Amino acid sequence: MKALEKDRSRRYETANALADDIERYLNDEPVVACPPSAAYRFRKFVRRNKAPLAVVLMVVLGLIAVAVGAGLAAARFLDLARRNADLAAEKQTALTSAIAAQKAATKARDQEAAQRKEAQRQTQIAEGALADVEQQQQRAEGNLDLALAALDAVYLEAIGRDKLLGQPVSQPAKLKPPESEEPPPLSALERELLKRGLRFYDQFAQKNTAAPHAFVQTAQAYYRVGLLQWALEDGAAAAEAYRGAVERFERLTKEEPQSAEYFRQLAEAYSGLAMVVPQWDAAKALFEKSRSAYSRAIELKPDDGLLYLRRAGISGYLGDVGKAAEDSEKALQLDPNRIDALLECSHFHRIGGGDPKRGREYAERAVSLAPDNPKCHLALAESLAFEKCRWIGPGKMRLSDPAPALEHYARAIELAPASPVGYRARGKFYRWIEDNDRALADLNRALELQPRDRWALKNRGIILARLGQFDKALADLAAHNRFYPHDLAAHRQIVEIHMATGNWQSAVESMTRILELDPSPWQVLIRRAWAHINLGQHEQALADLKKALELNSRVGMLSMSETVRWPLHRTVRKCVLEFARDAVDNSPDRAQERLQDRRQFSAAD
């Protein structure tokens, strides 16, 4: 490229110069054509001296290899030495740690053994303390149960009995006769004792709500409060307490749905509440709940005859005599010699259109098993009366020979002379056969022994009404209704008294109460219409008559002989004639007989 340069000054000056440059190239010497850089000259030098430089390079590389090897070996030996030192240090540390750990383990083992011994000792102490606590708790619970049982005996079982007054019940001759024929109130001592018991139960119910056993006792305490408040004639407070018992027993049955005992107590709480609520619809619903709770208890404990008898009693309250008899029979199947089951079977076969003969057979069997039990003789006396009698009206019978029944009534009184039950039962029998004087004597005696006997009060009220002592009769019947507000027979007797005395407004109110308890009796509507007419309330009378017709399409035929005697309003006359037409349509012959009785009709009628 130098020889071909366009610029002459940059070409070789002569051919010899080019030849010299070529010769230098061939001799591996630097040429003039190349820039004289150090690297270029070094390359040319290496080419000229390849052999010596190779020897030198080998020597140098050998020295370098030796140096590197020595360095690597030294580094390795140094690393090995360092590692050996580290291992020795670790070994020493491990040895020291092992020795320390061994000492600690030995110490811990010794401490653990000591702690185990101490723990065992503490466990034994704790177990002993726990057992003692459990024993104390069981003792406390047992004492609590005993205390409540004792209080029950004082405050519940002895209400109105002579033992509250310090007189033994076996000596009725010491009893003072009542100052009048009206039922005497509780004595001041009796009321004070009841109030003290009430305060205890109420405080217990309020304070004991945490522990399971206390919760059960709290529920039972609310039930006891209900009983006491009812005894003190505070129906509202009794209802509130019974609701407290119902609420707690419902919770207990949900927490322990397999406990037949909790369902039994829930059923009792429901029935207690049903007895004090004034509205029959509400009471009926509560009785149904009580019966359902007894049914659940029976499912859990099907061999408990008492549960069947309790459910039979609730069915009796609801008027379901058939189911009551079935339950009584079931209880008797479980125990053929059970006296209370025999008595219940006898009772439910006596009433409600049952079989009086079969009822008498059950009572005779009870007497044969327990000849000294007054209840058995009372059941047989009543069975003999029912089997042989002919009913001639509400609460009135004809009996050709009352002696057999009276014999067993007398035997029952002889066996329990301090009990009001025999006198009350015989007094009711005398009422049935219309022996009013003897009935009144027995009922008075029953009320001397137990002034709060509500059934004696009812029967005496009926007798007093027969004898024309209406004020005293109303007082007795009202006292009965405070304890048993759903007794239709007692309410009907009150109506009869009001109508007999011309107290038409009170008669209307009493019949309205009956219709609230049972809206089905059309006869009550007819009688209330009569009372409305006497009060000049003709529109109300017409409404009652139409309602009676809806309930019984033959009401016109059946009540014509009474209704035509009333001072009829024009619209009422029209309604009566409509009843007459309806009666003709249903029973022409009978209706014609009544329409032809001119003694009861005016020409206008």
Side-chain angles (χ1 to χ4, degrees):
M1 294 303 294
K2 185 175 177 65
L4 294 175
E5 276 288 348
K6 294 180 179 182
D7 186 358
R8 180 178 180 81
S9 62
R10 296 183 62 183
R11 294 197 297 266
Y12 292 104
E13 294 181 357
T14 62
N16 288 333
L18 175 59
D20 291 340
D21 218 9
I22 291 173
E23 187 174 358
R24 282 193 291 274
Y25 172 76
L26 294 174
N27 291 330
D28 288 323
E29 294 178 355
V31 299
V32 176
C34 287
S37 63
Y40 175 71
R41 287 196 298 273
F42 179 74
R43 287 198 303 273
K44 291 297 183 180
F45 177 78
V46 170
R47 288 180 182 177
R48 290 196 304 272
N49 300 285
K50 287 182 179 180
L53 286 174
V55 173
V56 171
L57 181 59
M58 290 179 62
V59 172
V60 171
L61 290 174
L63 291 173
I64 292 173
V66 170
V68 171
L72 291 174
R76 184 175 181 185
F77 286 137
L78 183 61
D79 183 58
L80 287 173
R82 187 181 299 109
R83 289 176 61 190
N84 287 335
D86 292 342
L87 288 173
E90 290 176 0
K91 183 176 181 182
Q92 183 62 35
T93 302
L95 181 61
T96 303
S97 299
I99 293 171
Q102 185 178 12
K103 291 180 179 179
T106 302
K107 183 178 180 181
R109 187 167 56 250
D110 295 341
Q111 290 178 348
E112 182 182 359
Q115 290 175 354
R116 187 163 50 249
K117 290 181 181 179
E118 179 63 18
Q120 291 175 352
R121 190 178 71 83
Q122 294 292 339
T123 300
Q124 292 175 353
I125 293 173
E127 288 176 351
L130 180 60
D132 186 58
V133 168
E134 290 177 350
Q135 291 177 358
Q136 293 289 344
Q137 182 178 356
Q138 292 174 358
R139 191 177 299 113
E141 292 175 354
N143 290 337
L144 178 61
D145 292 340
L146 288 174
L148 290 175
L151 285 163
D152 288 348
V154 174
Y155 295 122
L156 302 183
E157 297 176 8
I159 291 175
R161 296 182 185 173
D162 301 312
K163 63 178 67 174
L164 275 175
L165 303 175
Q167 298 177 352
V169 296
S170 60
Q171 300 179 19
K174 292 185 178 181
L175 295 174
K176 295 180 180 179
E179 296 179 359
S180 67
E181 293 178 352
E182 296 182 359
L186 286 173
S187 69
L189 176 58
E190 289 172 331
R191 286 189 173 275
E192 181 58 29
L193 286 174
L194 289 178
K195 289 178 181 178
R196 288 182 185 178
L198 178 60
R199 284 196 295 270
F200 171 82
Y201 286 123
D202 192 50
Q203 290 173 5
F204 181 89
Q206 297 294 334
K207 293 181 179 180
N208 294 277
T209 57
H213 181 81
F215 188 81
V216 174
Q217 294 288 5
T218 300
Q220 294 172 348
Y222 271 103
Y223 179 75
R224 292 174 174 90
V225 170
L227 289 176
L228 291 176
Q229 292 286 19
W230 190 26
L232 292 169
E233 302 181 25
D234 191 342
E240 183 180 356
Y242 281 133
R243 290 189 184 97
V246 165
E247 177 184 350
R248 284 156 180 80
F249 280 122
E250 282 181 342
R251 173 179 160 184
L252 287 168
T253 55
K254 290 177 182 178
E255 292 176 351
E256 297 188 37
Q258 302 303 314
S259 173
E261 180 62 18
Y262 288 158
F263 278 101
R264 180 191 66 79
Q265 295 185 77
L266 175 61
E268 290 180 353
Y270 274 133
S271 62
L273 181 57
M275 293 295 290
V276 298
V277 295
Q279 299 80 14
W280 172 242
D281 288 342
K284 186 177 180 180
L286 290 167
F287 278 130
E288 290 289 359
K289 289 183 177 181
S290 177
R291 183 159 63 174
S292 297
Y294 277 127
S295 298
R296 177 57 181 157
I298 289 171
E299 290 176 8
L300 297 170
K301 200 173 181 181
D303 296 333
D304 190 339
L306 180 60
L307 293 175
Y308 289 98
L309 292 177
R310 295 285 176 82
R311 189 171 68 176
I314 298 300
S315 296
Y317 275 118
L318 291 170
D320 197 345
V321 180
K323 288 186 178 179
E326 289 177 8
D327 278 343
S328 301
E329 296 276 4
K330 179 62 178 178
L332 194 59
Q333 290 174 12
L334 293 172
D335 184 358
N337 295 326
R338 183 165 187 152
I339 300 300
D340 52 357
L342 285 167
L343 297 180
E344 288 295 287
C345 287
S346 175
H347 172 71
F348 288 118
H349 279 290
R350 259 192 332 268
I351 66 174
D355 185 354
K357 180 179 178 181
R358 194 172 180 186
R360 188 249 307 158
E361 291 171 352
Y362 281 122
E364 288 176 340
R365 185 173 162 193
V367 169
S368 66
L369 290 172
D372 294 332
N373 188 325
K375 290 184 179 180
C376 299
H377 288 278
L378 291 176
L380 180 54
E382 197 161 304
S383 297
L384 290 169
F386 271 64
E387 186 180 9
K388 302 295 183 180
C389 79
R390 178 172 61 88
W391 293 99
I392 59 174
K396 296 179 181 181
M397 66 165 61
R398 287 285 180 267
L399 193 62
S400 59
D401 185 12
L406 288 172
E407 178 183 350
H408 287 282
Y409 281 123
R411 179 58 179 157
I413 292 172
E414 179 185 352
L415 290 170
S419 170
V421 178
Y423 293 102
R424 177 228 299 162
R426 190 171 66 179
K428 181 171 65 173
F429 174 74
Y430 281 131
R431 175 174 72 83
W432 287 339
I433 63 176
E434 298 185 272
D435 190 341
N436 297 328
D437 292 338
R438 286 191 175 93
L440 195 58
D442 274 345
L443 293 170
N444 282 337
R445 180 58 178 156
L447 289 167
E448 288 174 7
L449 294 170
Q450 173 54 285
R452 306 176 68 80
D453 189 322
R454 62 178 183 269
W455 301 112
L457 287 168
K458 173 186 173 181
N459 282 280
R460 190 173 70 174
I462 294 173
I463 296 297
L464 291 172
R466 284 182 185 174
L467 299 175
Q469 301 178 32
F470 296 125
D471 291 340
K472 293 178 179 179
L474 287 173
D476 277 354
L477 294 169
H480 166 78
N481 285 345
R482 282 198 295 273
F483 291 99
Y484 191 22
H486 312 125
D487 189 344
L488 286 171
H491 287 290
R492 290 193 183 100
Q493 185 61 53
I494 291 173
V495 169
E496 295 298 329
I497 293 172
H498 288 318
M499 297 189 77
T501 57
N503 191 349
W504 303 111
Q505 185 58 46
S506 296
V508 167
E509 294 172 359
S510 297
M511 283 185 278
T512 301
R513 173 64 177 149
I514 292 175
L515 292 171
E516 290 174 355
L517 295 174
D518 182 6
S520 61
W522 55 268
Q523 299 95 330
V524 178
L525 288 166
I526 291 291
R527 296 179 71 79
R528 191 171 70 173
W530 186 357
H532 279 308
I533 290 172
N534 281 277
L535 290 171
Q537 300 169 350
H538 299 115
E539 293 300 325
Q540 292 91 325
L542 182 59
D544 277 349
L545 291 171
K546 287 184 176 179
K547 180 63 177 178
L549 179 59
E550 292 173 5
L551 293 172
N552 188 336
S553 61
R554 293 194 176 191
V555 67
M557 176 190 71
L558 296 173
S559 62
M560 186 63 65
S561 61
E562 286 190 37
T563 56
V564 295
R565 295 191 182 97
W566 303 344
L568 297 180
H569 185 270
R570 181 177 180 182
T571 55
V572 179
R573 284 199 189 113
K574 181 180 178 182
C575 190
V576 170
L577 291 175
E578 290 175 357
F579 293 164
R581 293 191 196 98
D582 185 76
V584 170
D585 293 338
N586 285 280
S587 180
D589 295 337
R590 177 63 174 160
Q592 288 296 334
E593 290 179 6
R594 292 189 176 276
L595 292 173
Q596 289 171 3
D597 187 353
R598 293 303 177 183
R599 290 174 299 174
Q600 299 178 7
F601 288 86
S602 67
D605 292 331

PDB file of all heavy atoms in Angstrom, residues 105-121:
ATOM      1  N   ALA A 105     -29.113 -31.460  83.094  1.00  0.00           N
ATOM      2  CA  ALA A 105     -30.059 -32.578  83.044  1.00  0.00           C
ATOM      3  C   ALA A 105     -30.121 -33.284  84.379  1.00  0.00           C
ATOM      4  O   ALA A 105     -31.208 -33.655  84.854  1.00  0.00           O
ATOM      5  CB  ALA A 105     -29.658 -33.547  81.934  1.00  0.00           C
ATOM      6  N   THR A 106     -28.949 -33.483  84.955  1.00  0.00           N
ATOM      7  CA  THR A 106     -28.929 -34.129  86.268  1.00  0.00           C
ATOM      8  C   THR A 106     -29.693 -33.290  87.287  1.00  0.00           C
ATOM      9  O   THR A 106     -30.504 -33.795  88.065  1.00  0.00           O
ATOM     10  CB  THR A 106     -27.482 -34.337  86.730  1.00  0.00           C
ATOM     11  OG1 THR A 106     -26.792 -35.127  85.758  1.00  0.00           O
ATOM     12  CG2 THR A 106     -27.448 -35.049  88.080  1.00  0.00           C
ATOM     13  N   LYS A 107     -29.428 -31.973  87.222  1.00  0.00           N
ATOM     14  CA  LYS A 107     -30.114 -31.083  88.147  1.00  0.00           C
ATOM     15  C   LYS A 107     -31.619 -31.059  87.879  1.00  0.00           C
ATOM     16  O   LYS A 107     -32.442 -31.108  88.796  1.00  0.00           O
ATOM     17  CB  LYS A 107     -29.532 -29.681  88.026  1.00  0.00           C
ATOM     18  CG  LYS A 107     -30.139 -28.686  88.995  1.00  0.00           C
ATOM     19  CD  LYS A 107     -29.481 -27.329  88.845  1.00  0.00           C
ATOM     20  CE  LYS A 107     -30.091 -26.311  89.815  1.00  0.00           C
ATOM     21  NZ  LYS A 107     -29.464 -24.979  89.654  1.00  0.00           N
ATOM     22  N   ALA A 108     -31.974 -30.993  86.543  1.00  0.00           N
ATOM     23  CA  ALA A 108     -33.394 -30.974  86.183  1.00  0.00           C
ATOM     24  C   ALA A 108     -34.075 -32.266  86.588  1.00  0.00           C
ATOM     25  O   ALA A 108     -35.229 -32.272  87.035  1.00  0.00           O
ATOM     26  CB  ALA A 108     -33.551 -30.743  84.679  1.00  0.00           C
ATOM     27  N   ARG A 109     -33.342 -33.410  86.365  1.00  0.00           N
ATOM     28  CA  ARG A 109     -33.912 -34.688  86.758  1.00  0.00           C
ATOM     29  C   ARG A 109     -34.184 -34.732  88.251  1.00  0.00           C
ATOM     30  O   ARG A 109     -35.221 -35.186  88.707  1.00  0.00           O
ATOM     31  CB  ARG A 109     -32.962 -35.810  86.339  1.00  0.00           C
ATOM     32  CG  ARG A 109     -33.562 -37.193  86.553  1.00  0.00           C
ATOM     33  CD  ARG A 109     -32.754 -38.283  85.852  1.00  0.00           C
ATOM     34  NE  ARG A 109     -31.359 -38.285  86.268  1.00  0.00           N
ATOM     35  CZ  ARG A 109     -30.327 -37.917  85.504  1.00  0.00           C
ATOM     36  NH1 ARG A 109     -30.558 -37.485  84.265  1.00  0.00           N
ATOM     37  NH2 ARG A 109     -29.078 -37.955  85.947  1.00  0.00           N
ATOM     38  N   ASP A 110     -33.194 -34.202  88.977  1.00  0.00           N
ATOM     39  CA  ASP A 110     -33.392 -34.163  90.425  1.00  0.00           C
ATOM     40  C   ASP A 110     -34.557 -33.245  90.792  1.00  0.00           C
ATOM     41  O   ASP A 110     -35.407 -33.582  91.629  1.00  0.00           O
ATOM     42  CB  ASP A 110     -32.111 -33.686  91.119  1.00  0.00           C
ATOM     43  CG  ASP A 110     -30.970 -34.686  90.931  1.00  0.00           C
ATOM     44  OD1 ASP A 110     -31.267 -35.860  90.607  1.00  0.00           O
ATOM     45  OD2 ASP A 110     -29.800 -34.290  91.085  1.00  0.00           O
ATOM     46  N   GLN A 111     -34.597 -32.062  90.092  1.00  0.00           N
ATOM     47  CA  GLN A 111     -35.691 -31.134  90.365  1.00  0.00           C
ATOM     48  C   GLN A 111     -37.033 -31.720  89.924  1.00  0.00           C
ATOM     49  O   GLN A 111     -38.049 -31.557  90.605  1.00  0.00           O
ATOM     50  CB  GLN A 111     -35.444 -29.809  89.640  1.00  0.00           C
ATOM     51  CG  GLN A 111     -34.290 -29.006  90.211  1.00  0.00           C
ATOM     52  CD  GLN A 111     -34.058 -27.726  89.425  1.00  0.00           C
ATOM     53  OE1 GLN A 111     -34.602 -27.557  88.337  1.00  0.00           O
ATOM     54  NE2 GLN A 111     -33.229 -26.837  89.960  1.00  0.00           N
ATOM     55  N   GLU A 112     -37.020 -32.419  88.750  1.00  0.00           N
ATOM     56  CA  GLU A 112     -38.262 -33.021  88.251  1.00  0.00           C
ATOM     57  C   GLU A 112     -38.775 -34.071  89.223  1.00  0.00           C
ATOM     58  O   GLU A 112     -39.983 -34.163  89.476  1.00  0.00           O
ATOM     59  CB  GLU A 112     -38.018 -33.647  86.886  1.00  0.00           C
ATOM     60  CG  GLU A 112     -39.269 -34.261  86.267  1.00  0.00           C
ATOM     61  CD  GLU A 112     -38.984 -34.914  84.931  1.00  0.00           C
ATOM     62  OE1 GLU A 112     -37.840 -34.877  84.485  1.00  0.00           O
ATOM     63  OE2 GLU A 112     -39.928 -35.467  84.350  1.00  0.00           O
ATOM     64  N   ALA A 113     -37.857 -34.881  89.715  1.00  0.00           N
ATOM     65  CA  ALA A 113     -38.277 -35.888  90.690  1.00  0.00           C
ATOM     66  C   ALA A 113     -38.903 -35.213  91.910  1.00  0.00           C
ATOM     67  O   ALA A 113     -39.955 -35.643  92.406  1.00  0.00           O
ATOM     68  CB  ALA A 113     -37.075 -36.746  91.093  1.00  0.00           C
ATOM     69  N   ALA A 114     -38.229 -34.129  92.351  1.00  0.00           N
ATOM     70  CA  ALA A 114     -38.773 -33.410  93.504  1.00  0.00           C
ATOM     71  C   ALA A 114     -40.125 -32.777  93.155  1.00  0.00           C
ATOM     72  O   ALA A 114     -41.081 -32.826  93.942  1.00  0.00           O
ATOM     73  CB  ALA A 114     -37.770 -32.347  93.958  1.00  0.00           C
ATOM     74  N   GLN A 115     -40.173 -32.180  91.931  1.00  0.00           N
ATOM     75  CA  GLN A 115     -41.425 -31.558  91.519  1.00  0.00           C
ATOM     76  C   GLN A 115     -42.528 -32.590  91.338  1.00  0.00           C
ATOM     77  O   GLN A 115     -43.695 -32.335  91.655  1.00  0.00           O
ATOM     78  CB  GLN A 115     -41.225 -30.773  90.210  1.00  0.00           C
ATOM     79  CG  GLN A 115     -40.375 -29.526  90.382  1.00  0.00           C
ATOM     80  CD  GLN A 115     -40.091 -28.855  89.051  1.00  0.00           C
ATOM     81  OE1 GLN A 115     -40.433 -29.386  88.002  1.00  0.00           O
ATOM     82  NE2 GLN A 115     -39.446 -27.703  89.103  1.00  0.00           N
ATOM     83  N   ARG A 116     -42.137 -33.778  90.792  1.00  0.00           N
ATOM     84  CA  ARG A 116     -43.131 -34.827  90.635  1.00  0.00           C
ATOM     85  C   ARG A 116     -43.687 -35.262  91.977  1.00  0.00           C
ATOM     86  O   ARG A 116     -44.893 -35.444  92.146  1.00  0.00           O
ATOM     87  CB  ARG A 116     -42.519 -35.999  89.888  1.00  0.00           C
ATOM     88  CG  ARG A 116     -43.531 -37.076  89.540  1.00  0.00           C
ATOM     89  CD  ARG A 116     -43.030 -38.037  88.459  1.00  0.00           C
ATOM     90  NE  ARG A 116     -41.722 -38.553  88.744  1.00  0.00           N
ATOM     91  CZ  ARG A 116     -40.605 -38.249  88.057  1.00  0.00           C
ATOM     92  NH1 ARG A 116     -40.706 -37.403  87.039  1.00  0.00           N
ATOM     93  NH2 ARG A 116     -39.426 -38.753  88.365  1.00  0.00           N
ATOM     94  N   LYS A 117     -42.792 -35.409  92.910  1.00  0.00           N
ATOM     95  CA  LYS A 117     -43.235 -35.766  94.253  1.00  0.00           C
ATOM     96  C   LYS A 117     -44.140 -34.678  94.827  1.00  0.00           C
ATOM     97  O   LYS A 117     -45.192 -34.947  95.406  1.00  0.00           O
ATOM     98  CB  LYS A 117     -42.034 -35.988  95.161  1.00  0.00           C
ATOM     99  CG  LYS A 117     -41.232 -37.251  94.834  1.00  0.00           C
ATOM    100  CD  LYS A 117     -40.071 -37.402  95.794  1.00  0.00           C
ATOM    101  CE  LYS A 117     -39.246 -38.654  95.461  1.00  0.00           C
ATOM    102  NZ  LYS A 117     -38.087 -38.798  96.376  1.00  0.00           N
ATOM    103  N   GLU A 118     -43.708 -33.393  94.597  1.00  0.00           N
ATOM    104  CA  GLU A 118     -44.519 -32.281  95.094  1.00  0.00           C
ATOM    105  C   GLU A 118     -45.866 -32.221  94.370  1.00  0.00           C
ATOM    106  O   GLU A 118     -46.913 -31.969  94.976  1.00  0.00           O
ATOM    107  CB  GLU A 118     -43.772 -30.964  94.906  1.00  0.00           C
ATOM    108  CG  GLU A 118     -44.532 -29.722  95.375  1.00  0.00           C
ATOM    109  CD  GLU A 118     -44.798 -29.732  96.872  1.00  0.00           C
ATOM    110  OE1 GLU A 118     -44.121 -30.498  97.606  1.00  0.00           O
ATOM    111  OE2 GLU A 118     -45.679 -28.982  97.318  1.00  0.00           O
ATOM    112  N   ALA A 119     -45.792 -32.477  93.029  1.00  0.00           N
ATOM    113  CA  ALA A 119     -47.035 -32.466  92.257  1.00  0.00           C
ATOM    114  C   ALA A 119     -47.975 -33.566  92.728  1.00  0.00           C
ATOM    115  O   ALA A 119     -49.192 -33.364  92.838  1.00  0.00           O
ATOM    116  CB  ALA A 119     -46.740 -32.631  90.773  1.00  0.00           C
ATOM    117  N   GLN A 120     -47.399 -34.749  92.971  1.00  0.00           N
ATOM    118  CA  GLN A 120     -48.222 -35.835  93.477  1.00  0.00           C
ATOM    119  C   GLN A 120     -48.839 -35.471  94.827  1.00  0.00           C
ATOM    120  O   GLN A 120     -50.015 -35.735  95.092  1.00  0.00           O
ATOM    121  CB  GLN A 120     -47.387 -37.108  93.599  1.00  0.00           C
ATOM    122  CG  GLN A 120     -46.980 -37.692  92.241  1.00  0.00           C
ATOM    123  CD  GLN A 120     -46.043 -38.878  92.384  1.00  0.00           C
ATOM    124  OE1 GLN A 120     -45.571 -39.184  93.482  1.00  0.00           O
ATOM    125  NE2 GLN A 120     -45.772 -39.544  91.270  1.00  0.00           N
ATOM    126  N   ARG A 121     -48.015 -34.839  95.650  1.00  0.00           N
ATOM    127  CA  ARG A 121     -48.517 -34.424  96.953  1.00  0.00           C
ATOM    128  C   ARG A 121     -49.631 -33.391  96.805  1.00  0.00           C
ATOM    129  O   ARG A 121     -50.686 -33.471  97.445  1.00  0.00           O
ATOM    130  CB  ARG A 121     -47.375 -33.866  97.802  1.00  0.00           C
ATOM    131  CG  ARG A 121     -47.755 -33.621  99.266  1.00  0.00           C
ATOM    132  CD  ARG A 121     -46.542 -33.125 100.037  1.00  0.00           C
ATOM    133  NE  ARG A 121     -46.184 -31.783  99.652  1.00  0.00           N
ATOM    134  CZ  ARG A 121     -46.763 -30.678 100.156  1.00  0.00           C
ATOM    135  NH1 ARG A 121     -47.724 -30.798 101.063  1.00  0.00           N
ATOM    136  NH2 ARG A 121     -46.398 -29.486  99.760  1.00  0.00           N
TER     137      ARG A 121
END
